[in-house]
Structure formats: C-alpha cells, structure tokens
Amino acid sequence: MTPMRRTSRRWALGVPLFALGLWMLQVAPPPDADAPAPTSQPAADAVQAVVAMPTTAATHVLPAAPRSASPPTPAAAGQVEVCGFGAVTLAADDPYLLQYLPAPLHQRTLDALEARLRASADPAVRAAGLLIGAKAREDGRSRIEQLARLAMVSTDPRVYAMALEACQDSGAAGAASCSLLSRAQWVRLEPDNAQPWLELAAQARQQRDTEGESEAMRLAAQAQRSEALAGSFPALVDQGLGPQVPVLQRTLAMSVSWRLQSTWGSSHTSQAHAWCTADLDADSERRRVCEAVAETFAFRSRSVADLGIGVALGRHLGWPAARLQALQQEHDALSGGGGAPLVGIDFSCEAIERVQDWMRQVATRGERQATRDVLVRSGRSVEDWGAQYRRNVDLASLTVETAATGTGGQDPP
C-alpha cells in the first residue's frame, strides 16, 4: 500500500515565527548532506472528574536541562540572548533569532545534532535524527530511504510513524523503500491506538475502498486510546540528546523538533469528521462506531485537540447537554490556560529550560493533565480560563473579518 503524499514542506530560511511555535530553519545543504552518520548505537476537581486520563501510556524520563554555573551576562539594549551563543542584535520587524547566528556555526550545530541522534542505541532516537535531517535539507531523500529501511525491520511504532511521516513528503519521490511501508503494518504494531486505524481508514477513503474504510473505522472504535507521536516528538529528541549536549545544540534541537511537531501530517481528524457527520439515523452500526471513537477522543486521549474533536462529534451524535457543557468547558479552559510556552520568539536559557520542563510534563503526564496542573497553579477558575479563551477566539475572528472587509469592523456599504 503506497503511503499518501502531500506537498513538500521545506523549512524556509529566515522566515519570522510568531505564536503557536511555527519555526523556520535557515539551513543550506552541506556538500556532504547525504553522507551516512555513525551507527552505534492543571484542573478544578469538577473538571478532573469529567475526564479520566489513561494510565497505561508509555512515559519517558527526560534529563534535566544543564544550568550554567553562573547567570548569563545581561544583553545590552536592543539585544537578546540565544542560549549557547550569546547576545544578538534583533531587528524590530524580524523577531526570529536563529537566523542571526553565523551560517557556518548554524550548519555545524545542525550537523552535530543530527549525528548525535543518529548514533543513539535507541532506534526511535535514530529515526528522529533521520527525520530531522530529511526535513532540514533541500535533498533529504537518502535519509528518507534510510528511515524507511529502519522502519521495515523495527517493531517500534514510533519508528514506523516517523517513516510514514517522512514518506508523505513530496521530497520522498523516488524513495523506493517508501513503497514498502503501509499503514496496515503500523496498526499491527500499535493496535490499541485509534490514530493509526483512522489514518488507515483515511487512506482507504482516498482509494475509494468503502469496505476497507468501514473495517478500519470499526477497529478504530475498539482502540483504547488516541495518541500521536507528534505531540511527544520534541521530548524524544531531547531525551536522545542526553544531559551533556552542548547548549547551542539543545537550543537548535528545541527549535527543529517543535517546528516538525507543528507541521506533522495527520488525517485522523478529517477522517473522524467525514465518517461521523454522515446521516447516522439510518445506519446504526456507523452510529455505534462513531460513539466509540468520540468517547476515545473525549475521555481517553492525552491531547487537547482530540478533546475538541470529541466534543464536536458528541454534539453531532446528540450527547446530553450537561455532558457536552462539561467537556466544552474543559476544552476551552485547557485551550486558554497557557500550558505550552510560546515557542519561536524567546531563545534565552531561561526560556529553553521552561520549554524543556513543559516537554517533561507532557511526556510523563500527557498534554491535558499537564495543562490542568498549570490551571491549578494559576489560582484562576476553570470558568475564568474558558471565558478568556472564548474572548480571544471572538477577538481573533473579529480581527480576521475586519482585515477581510477593510471596514474597521463595520458592515460594508
């Protein structure tokens, strides 16, 4: 089964990043870009009662971020810190800091980062190094080939998920090993995770295989959890670096892994929506499947985004108003709770440590529980956080509408 492909998403040079951590790398392909690397190896009690988080998900212990023996020298006016490099002068209209690093230093640091990951004894860390190398260079096909071959002999679903992600990119055109990968194998490696089944169903829909789509959806309904590798990818990269990595390598690793997480391709959301917004009254089996999928998203996922999908599906399925209200309140509070640090502007050592601490919490407790903890520590109520989130959404919608009409918020004549 040939993996679905999508338009190439190369990491452009010097593009500024704002909220949501969309990070762009300034990377020129080195002469030996395809040379092989060494191969050694918080929440209120009422909300917490609504959603019970899974207790069987794998956890990872991340090394503590190395702290400087002495505090960094304060940057002069107009300058900001890049942890591991020093102060750089920031242009007022261009806040993306890593482009101010000398290009050779940037390239050497990226090369060393990739080589360190690819020398790991953990196949998933080696796969992460190959994926970073493939995405960060104009011609990453040889790395995609190596990653696909690694997946073919691995029983680790994380390796397989990374290989499928790499093979979806148009840069994988001509990578023969990608044709040997399939979502059918991915679900065999991770049958209790709904997301591979939904990806398989999406592929069957694309191929107009109605029977295959129905069967994949039925099996997705039996899964006990919904968990995407993209959400824990930065933690995997940081774990692979270990505690002794040079500080600038850690800074760059934080950047590239969050960038890759933000662009990770997934069709499980659109598949669940497409399948479960059909006429369910005339198809009791489809309704049963969609009920189970919605329950998984709403109650057995570690992701805030999945909770939102569960709420939307539950509304279409006609769940009781009180249940929907409680779930919607949790979703809005967690979305507005400011759990994840804003990534992409601040590269100071203090900010890098904050991000690493957040990754550690997400890796061990899941995004939803980690954000609940943030809400509890804030001292603000769930209702307050939810109301703030809705105000922000309304404001963003008004801003978009104003920009589109050019009327300053007034109806056009």
Side-chain angles (χ1 to χ4, degrees), residues 275-299:
W275 179 262
C276 294
T277 54
D279 181 7
L280 300 177
D281 293 334
D283 191 337
S284 59
E285 175 63 13
R286 183 180 292 238
R287 172 175 286 277
R288 182 194 66 78
V289 166
C290 292
E291 285 278 1
V293 169
E295 291 269 352
T296 297
F297 281 136
F299 298 108

Side-chain angles (χ1 to χ4, degrees), residues 183-206:
R183 283 164 181 75
Q185 175 61 13
W186 184 17
V187 297
R188 282 192 283 270
L189 294 174
E190 203 170 15
D192 65 333
N193 186 356
Q195 294 206 12
W197 290 112
L198 290 167
E199 296 283 335
L200 182 61
Q203 181 172 284
R205 172 178 285 258
Q206 184 183 59

Side-chain angles (χ1 to χ4, degrees), residues 15-23 80-83 88 90 94-98 100 255 341-348 351-352 354-355:
V15 178
L17 295 200
F18 302 97
L20 303 179
L22 297 179
W23 299 44
V80 288
E81 177 194 8
V82 174
C83 189
V88 299
L90 177 65
D94 194 349
Y96 183 60
L97 297 179
L98 294 189
Y100 294 97
S255 173
L342 286 179
V343 181
I345 302 296
D346 188 352
F347 284 95
S348 67
I352 296 300
R354 272 199 312 272
V355 173

Side-chain angles (χ1 to χ4, degrees), residues 68-393:
S68 303
S70 57
T73 302
Q79 292 189 323
V80 288
E81 177 194 8
V82 174
C83 189
F85 176 73
V88 299
T89 302
L90 177 65
D93 61 346
D94 194 349
Y96 183 60
L97 297 179
L98 294 189
Q99 65 179 308
Y100 294 97
L101 298 180
L105 173 62
H106 196 184
Q107 187 62 63
R108 289 196 303 272
T109 306
L110 176 67
D111 290 344
L113 165 63
E114 182 187 351
R116 182 182 293 268
L117 294 173
R118 292 176 62 179
S120 171
D122 185 339
V125 174
R126 295 204 302 275
L130 287 165
L131 184 57
I132 285 175
K135 294 287 188 178
R137 290 173 167 82
E138 288 300 324
D139 182 10
R141 190 171 66 183
S142 70
R143 288 170 173 79
I144 296 173
E145 285 274 16
Q146 293 176 63
L147 179 49
R149 291 197 296 270
L150 178 61
M152 289 163 56
V153 298
S154 175
T155 59
D156 189 329
R158 297 173 299 171
V159 174
Y160 215 88
M162 282 184 269
L164 287 173
E165 167 63 18
C167 287
Q168 286 187 69
D169 199 288
S170 63
S177 297
C178 285
S179 64
L180 302 177
L181 303 182
S182 72
R183 283 164 181 75
Q185 175 61 13
W186 184 17
V187 297
R188 282 192 283 270
L189 294 174
E190 203 170 15
D192 65 333
N193 186 356
Q195 294 206 12
W197 290 112
L198 290 167
E199 296 283 335
L200 182 61
Q203 181 172 284
R205 172 178 285 258
Q206 184 183 59
Q207 297 170 347
R208 302 183 184 277
D209 178 4
T210 304
E211 184 178 343
E213 182 185 13
S214 298
E215 178 65 7
M217 290 299 300
R218 184 183 68 79
L219 292 166
Q222 298 178 14
Q224 297 303 304
R225 61 189 175 92
S226 172
E227 189 169 355
L229 174 63
S232 59
F233 185 77
L236 175 65
V237 170
D238 198 68
Q239 179 187 5
L241 293 178
Q244 303 304 320
V245 65
V247 179
L248 186 58
Q249 275 190 42
R250 190 177 299 280
T251 299
L252 185 59
M254 203 76 73
S255 173
V256 300
S257 59
W258 279 76
R259 162 62 182 157
L260 203 153
Q261 173 186 277
S262 71
T263 61
W264 196 285
S266 176
S267 58
H268 78 277
T269 301
S270 58
Q271 174 62 25
H273 180 270
W275 179 262
C276 294
T277 54
D279 181 7
L280 300 177
D281 293 334
D283 191 337
S284 59
E285 175 63 13
R286 183 180 292 238
R287 172 175 286 277
R288 182 194 66 78
V289 166
C290 292
E291 285 278 1
V293 169
E295 291 269 352
T296 297
F297 281 136
F299 298 108
R300 296 192 297 277
S301 171
R302 293 155 62 97
S303 160
V304 175
D306 277 3
L307 172 58
I309 300 169
V311 173
L313 294 180
R315 185 172 289 113
H316 184 75
L317 289 161
W319 284 2
R323 187 188 208 196
L324 286 171
Q325 183 179 5
L327 289 170
Q328 185 71 62
Q329 179 175 277
E330 182 189 21
H331 172 269
D332 293 350
L334 297 183
S335 297
L342 286 179
V343 181
I345 302 296
D346 188 352
F347 284 95
S348 67
C349 289
E350 181 182 358
I352 296 300
E353 290 179 2
R354 272 199 312 272
V355 173
Q356 189 185 30
D357 180 66
W358 172 253
M359 292 190 315
R360 184 183 302 113
Q361 296 303 318
V362 170
T364 57
R365 298 172 65 76
E367 181 193 16
R368 285 165 67 172
Q369 186 58 50
T371 311
R372 289 190 187 106
D373 295 342
V374 172
L375 297 189
V376 168
R377 291 194 299 270
S378 75
R380 295 172 58 185
S381 69
V382 171
E383 292 80 7
D384 189 19
W385 278 115
Q388 175 178 307
Y389 170 73
R390 289 187 292 274
R391 286 194 299 270
N392 290 341
V393 170

